[in-house]
Amino acid sequence: MKKNIVFILLVVFAIPSIIFSQEVKKSFSIGETVTISSKILSQDRILNIYLPEGYTKNDSIPYPVIYLLDGSITEDFLHVTGLVQFFNLQLGMPKTIVVGIANGDRKHDFTFPTEIADLKKEYPTTGGSEKFIRFIEEELQPFIANNYKISDKKYLLGQSLGGLLATEILFKKTELFTHYFIISPSLWWDDQSLLHNASNYLSKIKKPVYVYLAVGEEHNIMVKDTKTLASELKKHPNNIVSNFIFFPKENHTTILHNSLYQAFLLEFPYKEQK
């Protein structure tokens, strides 16, 4: 009897080790990381690229692209791609490629030059947005078009200084994107010089464009400037379709995820299944 009990115990305790020894592990991937060499920026730049399930370059259907500023793995790339996947699965958003542009020096890339002494002292590396915009237009977008099956629908998403850059591109190179998602833009930069010229820039936009603006309970200047930009956009209804949402329960740290959820919800509203 004792021998039988010992045998049973040996079998019982041996089973888990047998099971675990048969585990199969596979790598998990949602896309690819690509490094491209930029002649304009004189440096290599890392792109994190989300490819939707079933993506193939030979697909008959082209894919919209979201270009994400602050697109490093440790920044906004993962949670933005999560929202994209959720909206595709649940709310009818088309399968979409996300191109996360990993940062080098975002203060340099996302700002235009200033002559304000205090800003130059506090942010000594700033002033590189003109080259960065050229990089997007002349190197990044052609690379994506040549290597992926994409449609004409192109989104740009930027927050804070990224929102400042997105606004500058909207004003100066509107045609680079069809949709602009601008969150908590740092329009205070250079004593609000970009915002002061908003009317002049916006009046020159001829091709229809969509702009989504959002701001939370943040610095008074940021809230005021974003609301001013929203008002300026509404003065040009023939060529600019825009939405503005104020998020009183969100701050500069928490606003991006919820505001992007609402932006997608405006484009792909929930419809009750019948």
Side-chain angles (χ1 to χ4, degrees):
M1 182 68 178
K2 288 183 178 179
K3 289 183 178 179
N4 290 339
I5 292 174
V6 171
F7 175 75
I8 292 171
L9 290 173
L10 287 172
V11 171
V12 168
F13 286 108
I15 287 174
S17 63
I18 294 172
I19 293 173
F20 290 131
S21 67
Q22 294 177 345
E23 280 187 348
V24 176
K25 294 183 179 181
K26 296 181 180 179
S27 60
F28 175 73
S29 174
I30 61 171
E32 53 198 29
T33 296
V34 179
T35 299
I36 63 174
S37 181
S38 169
K39 292 182 179 179
I40 293 172
L41 300 177
S42 299
Q43 59 186 209
D44 291 341
R45 297 305 297 249
I46 296 173
L47 308 176
N48 297 306
I49 302 174
Y50 166 77
L51 299 173
E53 184 179 2
Y55 167 83
T56 169
K57 192 176 180 182
N58 297 322
D59 200 331
S60 60
I61 301 173
Y63 295 80
V65 181
I66 295 174
Y67 290 85
L68 173 63
L69 303 173
D70 296 317
S72 300
I73 293 293
T74 55
E75 295 175 306
D76 299 329
F77 181 74
L78 291 177
H79 73 91
V80 168
T81 55
L83 279 176
V84 171
Q85 191 240 16
F86 171 77
F87 270 81
N88 170 246
L89 289 176
Q90 303 295 339
L91 286 97
M93 181 180 186
K95 289 185 176 182
T96 300
I97 296 171
V98 180
V99 177
I101 310 169
N103 277 322
D105 179 354
R106 69 191 298 272
K107 292 177 182 177
H108 174 268
D109 292 338
F110 296 171
T111 59
F112 50 88
T114 180
E115 293 303 319
I116 297 175
D118 289 346
L119 290 179
K120 293 174 71 174
K121 181 179 180 180
E122 188 172 356
Y123 307 101
T125 66
T126 52
S129 65
E130 181 180 358
K131 279 191 175 182
F132 194 73
I133 294 170
R134 282 186 57 214
F135 159 71
I136 291 174
E137 178 181 15
E138 299 175 24
E139 296 179 329
L140 175 58
Q141 287 190 342
F143 173 82
I144 297 300
N146 289 333
N147 289 278
Y148 301 91
K149 184 66 176 288
I150 66 171
S151 71
D152 292 332
K153 183 175 281 189
K154 294 176 288 188
Y155 297 78
L156 179 64
L157 171 58
Q159 182 197 11
S160 194
L161 285 178
L164 174 69
L165 180 71
T167 305
E168 185 179 2
I169 296 174
L170 171 66
F171 286 0
K172 298 178 180 179
K173 286 284 185 177
T174 315
E175 69 283 355
L176 291 185
F177 299 94
T178 57
H179 293 65
Y180 289 82
F181 291 166
I182 301 174
I183 316 299
S184 306
S186 298
L187 296 171
W188 51 265
W189 178 254
D190 192 43
D191 199 20
Q192 302 160 301
S193 63
L194 190 64
L195 185 61
H196 293 327
N197 289 300
S199 180
N200 180 49
Y201 285 121
L202 294 174
S203 65
K204 296 177 182 178
I205 295 177
K206 303 303 179 185
K207 189 175 181 179
V209 66
Y210 174 77
V211 183
Y212 170 84
L213 274 177
V215 71
E217 194 66 67
E218 308 177 52
H219 194 287
N220 289 338
I221 293 176
M222 184 166 284
V223 176
K224 179 177 177 294
D225 287 349
T226 306
K227 289 182 176 180
T228 298
L229 178 57
S231 297
E232 289 293 332
L233 292 170
K234 291 298 184 184
K235 295 177 182 178
H236 305 272
N238 292 333
N239 297 313
I240 302 172
V241 176
S242 64
N243 284 295
F244 167 68
I245 301 180
F246 174 65
F247 292 85
K249 295 182 180 180
E250 305 290 349
N251 57 42
H252 198 66
T253 300
T254 65
I255 188 173
L256 181 59
H257 196 89
N258 194 18
S259 62
L260 185 57
Y261 180 94
Q262 295 300 324
F264 286 160
L265 202 58
L266 286 171
E267 282 209 66
F268 313 105
Y270 175 75
K271 296 179 181 178
E272 194 72 39
Q273 299 294 323
K274 296 182 180 179

